[in-house]
Amino acid sequence: MSEEFRLTYVHEMAEAVQKLQATRDKVGADSWELRVKNQTPHCKFGEQGICCRICTMGPCRITPKAPRGICGCDVHGIVGRNFLRFTAGGAATHSDHGREICHTLYASSKDGAYKVKDPEKLIRIAKEWGIQTEYRDIYEVAHEVAEMALMEYGKPFGVSRWLSRAPKHTRELWHKAEIEPRAIDREVSCSMHMTHMGCSSKPEALVRQSLRAGLCDGWGGSMCGTEFSDVLFGTPKPIETEANLGVMNAENVNIIVHGHDPSLSEMICEYAEDPDLIAYAKSFGAKGITVSGVCCTSNEVAMRRGIPMAGNFLQQENVVLTGACEAIVVDVQCIFPALGPLSKCFHTKFITTSPIAQMPDSEFVRFDVGTAAEKAKAIVKEAVENFQNRKPELVYIPDLKRHATVGYSVEAIKKTLDTVTNSQVDELNTLKPLVECVRSGVLRGAVAMVGCNNPKVRPDRSHIELMKKLIANDIIVVASGCSAQSAARAGLMDKRAKKYCGAGLKRVCELADIPPVLHMGSCVDISRMMILVSELAKDSGWNIGQLPVVGCAPEWMSEKAVSIGNYVVSTGIDTFLGIDPYVAGSSEMLYWLTAGVRDWVEAAFTIETDMEKLENGIIEHIEAKRTALGI
């Protein structure tokens, strides 16, 4: 790390991909770039959200000639129902991920494949929920906590237990607006019921339920996923890793883990380090085994094990195009079905492991907690044996790789602040030093950068260029999901990136020994950000809606991102979107999302597809928050 540091530019990444595309053309394969051309131009009715297919009287689409659907629903009701269904899909997906982690915790045992690695956090949660912990075996406590968490999905009465973590003012807003989430599954089910033919078509009601469904994710299912992953696999703390396609090793067996559920990837990583399997790899001519990750599974293993990050969402085909991927092993969410036929053009094994994410042209290895160890070992062994089938003439790994420090959980951020603060002892393990940096103007504020890649914009550019502008203006960035991987691939999670900061943020980075963009985990871990802002509010005396903090998803693409946006806004954080969530066709939906909800939750959406305007809007918004606070 002694060489002169500079960031990796987006055009350099694009040039490397062009060489991979030459390999694609050579073997007659497909990739998303070609499919985008075939799908362009996109359906304008769909982009505006003004088509409806929830019954078979249609499909109906709104035009000047036909301003209402066959049932009489107008454009505002149609757009609103589509938006709520989008939210419900995302809430269901993230929450089902959380449910699987709860089941894994319930199956944990002293002698099993899954163990409790952070008993202190488990005890804290148990006490938070009123569960007896003294004189009890830790796994007895784990099983009771897991069962209580699973009951959150279908309990008949009450609201989410996790809501108690929010500041009193925020909880009062939720109660008054009638958006407190009840049982997690109930909110998803209620959303589908509301959008059935002949039910809600009033935008205000549909938006209200969208916020509630989002909250059942962020303050429900996702929080289960985050908290209990920490209990099982360890609460993240700063750890060194590397990012971009160059982390793959041409001399090693390369296994890519991809998806979102760390239960699978943890086991794959465990057996890739097995001395017997490494020796087995060497018997086939490899020098070792390299595991690297794609998408949020990559974030999970990077922040706990230092496993390198090969790339984010739109990189998933590129790892196969290197010709050096022995196996791409996937679990759930954001997985291209295209990986099947693409892998057949190479020697790569495309291995699916979840019954809810089965795909053509893949090898299905059912993965469950009871057989996790033996299945993971078998998958690693199969990848090793596949090394001999590699075609050397197709191997090209771009020489792109950046160092990154990742793993900034809320607990890790507090511990980092404790090492540099001169505060009194009773102020340790708080965020008060961060609050003082904001009060004094050393830091202007913070932006939570989240979300996916989207081919509608140049991949990664929006994330990277926006982050560069923010840190130059003394605004610290916390990032998760594919946005975090964009930052890591560019070098923005290298501590040396402080040279690109304004004077204030640069000083903070030096004192705390942190990069200017903090890696907070996968997309479910945006729930960490909600805990972070809640504690910032408590430590500052400000309400969340007053904090100079903004959420931003400049390249989002999935239903999960809509759910996330709804719970971030509902928590009181203004959220900027760089991609229209298919609501442009309704002036009423635009009003409710960008203005009306502010009366309920003290925050709203801003939709801005012009990146320069988005950047300036975020900075102006943070400065307006500071002015309102008189700081």
Side-chain angles (χ1 to χ4, degrees), residues 171-428:
R171 298 197 307 271
E172 288 173 348
L173 289 176
W174 290 338
H175 183 73
K176 184 178 179 181
E178 298 182 358
I179 59 172
E180 294 165 299
R182 301 158 294 183
I184 296 164
D185 288 348
R186 182 175 183 185
E187 299 306 350
V188 173
S189 179
C190 181
S191 299
M192 299 307 291
H193 186 180
M194 282 184 71
T195 55
H196 188 275
M197 189 272 157
C199 287
S200 291
S201 56
K202 185 178 180 181
E204 178 183 347
L206 294 163
V207 169
R208 196 182 297 271
Q209 179 59 22
S210 295
L211 298 184
R212 193 187 230 176
L215 284 170
C216 89
D217 169 6
W219 290 87
S222 277
M223 204 162 284
C224 286
T226 292
E227 295 294 87
F228 299 132
S229 289
D230 285 356
V231 169
L232 284 164
F233 310 123
T235 300
K237 55 187 177 181
I239 189 170
E240 308 305 312
T241 190
E242 293 177 316
N244 224 326
L245 287 170
V247 303
M248 297 176 70
N249 190 325
E251 296 181 318
N252 286 0
V253 172
N254 284 289
I255 300 173
I256 300 292
V257 289
H258 173 23
H260 288 75
D261 187 343
S263 301
L264 166 68
S265 52
E266 280 287 328
M267 285 293 109
I268 297 292
C269 293
E270 193 75 26
Y271 281 95
E273 296 173 355
D274 186 312
D276 290 340
L277 285 170
I278 293 172
Y280 192 50
K282 290 179 179 178
S283 74
F284 283 91
K287 289 190 175 181
I289 302 173
T290 294
V291 178
S292 49
V294 167
C295 226
C296 279
T297 281
S298 179
N299 286 311
E300 296 279 2
V301 293
M303 66 186 177
R304 294 191 176 94
R305 290 177 170 267
I307 297 296
M309 299 184 284
N312 46 15
F313 175 63
L314 287 180
Q315 287 281 89
Q316 61 185 278
E317 291 173 309
N318 291 335
V319 297
V320 177
L321 287 170
T322 63
C325 176
E326 274 61 58
I328 180 164
V329 188
V330 305
D331 45 75
V332 294
Q333 302 171 28
C334 298
I335 299 151
F336 278 176
L339 288 174
L342 176 62
S343 294
K344 294 180 77 172
C345 295
F346 295 84
H347 73 298
T348 305
K349 298 275 188 180
F350 176 40
I351 301 174
T352 56
T353 60
S354 172
I356 64 171
Q358 298 184 58
M359 299 183 186
D361 298 313
S362 69
E363 178 184 343
F364 180 55
V365 178
R366 185 184 289 269
F367 193 87
D368 57 66
V369 293
T371 60
E374 65 179 85
K375 294 291 179 66
K377 185 174 183 179
I379 288 171
V380 174
K381 184 179 179 183
E382 184 175 353
V384 166
E385 292 169 348
N386 196 29
F387 181 79
Q388 62 189 330
N389 298 318
R390 186 188 286 185
K391 299 175 182 177
E393 69 276 12
L394 296 179
V395 174
Y396 165 68
I397 298 175
D399 186 22
L400 287 177
K401 184 166 59 176
R402 283 294 176 196
H403 179 267
T405 304
V406 300
Y408 288 93
S409 59
V410 176
E411 293 88 341
I413 290 172
K414 287 181 178 179
K415 189 171 182 179
T416 299
L417 292 173
D418 285 349
T419 64
V420 298
T421 181
N422 293 317
S423 301
Q424 299 297 316
V425 173
D426 61 358
E427 291 188 347
L428 294 178

Side-chain angles (χ1 to χ4, degrees), residues 118-174:
D118 191 341
E120 291 183 7
K121 186 160 196 173
L122 175 63
I123 295 298
R124 287 203 310 272
I125 295 169
K127 289 181 177 179
E128 188 179 332
W129 288 2
I131 294 173
Q132 175 67 32
T133 61
E134 292 183 359
Y135 311 113
R136 296 182 72 188
D137 177 79
I138 194 66
Y139 288 97
E140 186 181 343
V141 175
H143 299 159
E144 185 172 349
V145 168
E147 186 172 0
M148 187 173 284
L150 286 166
M151 290 300 293
E152 288 294 292
Y153 285 81
K155 64 184 183 184
F157 307 109
V159 298
S160 172
R161 290 181 181 274
W162 297 114
L163 301 188
S164 63
R165 293 182 163 190
K168 182 172 183 277
H169 176 76
T170 304
R171 298 197 307 271
E172 288 173 348
L173 289 176
W174 290 338

Side-chain angles (χ1 to χ4, degrees), residues 447 449-450 457 461-463 465-467 469-470 550-556 575-579 605-622:
V447 171
M449 289 281 284
V450 303
V457 296
R461 182 181 180 276
S462 299
H463 292 296
E465 294 304 317
L466 177 53
M467 288 179 192
K469 184 160 186 176
L470 292 172
V550 163
C552 182
E555 298 183 22
W556 73 273
T575 299
F576 286 68
L577 304 178
I579 303 290
F605 288 99
T606 295
I607 303 168
E608 181 53 75
T609 58
D610 183 305
M611 283 302 111
E612 186 174 350
K613 291 180 180 178
L614 185 75
E615 293 170 354
N616 293 333
I618 289 173
I619 294 171
E620 290 168 5
H621 190 81
I622 285 174

